[in-house]
Amino acid sequence: MVATVIIAAFVVWPPRSEGLGQSAVGRVTGTVKLTLANTAPSSASAYDRRAVGPRPKPQSEIKNVVIFFTDLPAAKAAPMQASIAQKDEQFAPHLVAVTAGSTVAFPNEDPFFHNVFSLSRGAAFNLGRYPSGSSRSRVFTRPGLVKVFCEIHSHMSAVIRVFDHGWFTVPNEDGTFMIDGIPPGDHTIVAWHERIGERSDRITIRAGAATQINFTLPVLEPGP
């Protein structure tokens, strides 16, 4: 199966005097549609769930998609502050996307100990075990994909995408998204989901105009 991509019209908006000015850059807007109901749970763990409590409410699957550009030059973007809570024996949200140099906090909102660690290349870390009501954090300096787990609860997992630019976003709950301030030209835009990888297409960005693009992603049902 492949992603369906539709490029529509250009829409001009009034220029603003920010940075280069909106008259010198472009914008992309669009939607992401999944072939799986967007309430399905996401799991990157190879192990069965061993929790004794009730299964938590599934997280929105559409929030596990990242839209980004791949062929734009690295451009320093301001660090961000993000949070992935440990709640109901799952990481919430399952995915965050941040700029290089950003800090991600991992507050423990469960009534028992948790641990946060990663063996990902360039971002290996272990925050140790810590109790309910406490939080630990990590700064992510290198672009790439970071997979996060809990050594106490093997069914728990999360994903962090780190970028060396600011031209990325996670869709809204209804699948809509927008990325602003894009240099004009022909560029590659990607929709990424951890269970299917990347779906990409070339689009033309025009100064002072918006380009519309829609992705349909064949996200498969996760394992139990």
Side-chain angles (χ1 to χ4, degrees), residues 9 13 31 57 61 84 101-102 115 118 140 162 164 182 200 222:
W13 70 85
T31 61
K57 180 180 178 181
E61 194 69 41
I84 300 178
S102 296
N115 160 269
S118 176
F140 295 90
V162 185
D164 59 1
I182 308 164
S200 64

Side-chain angles (χ1 to χ4, degrees), residues 11-29 167 178-184 205-211:
V11 180
V12 177
W13 70 85
R16 297 180 299 174
S17 57
E18 298 177 6
L20 296 176
Q22 291 294 356
S23 60
V25 294
R27 170 187 299 170
V28 63
T29 61
W167 296 298
M178 181 186 73
I179 303 176
D180 214 343
I182 308 164
I205 300 296
R206 297 179 181 174
T211 301

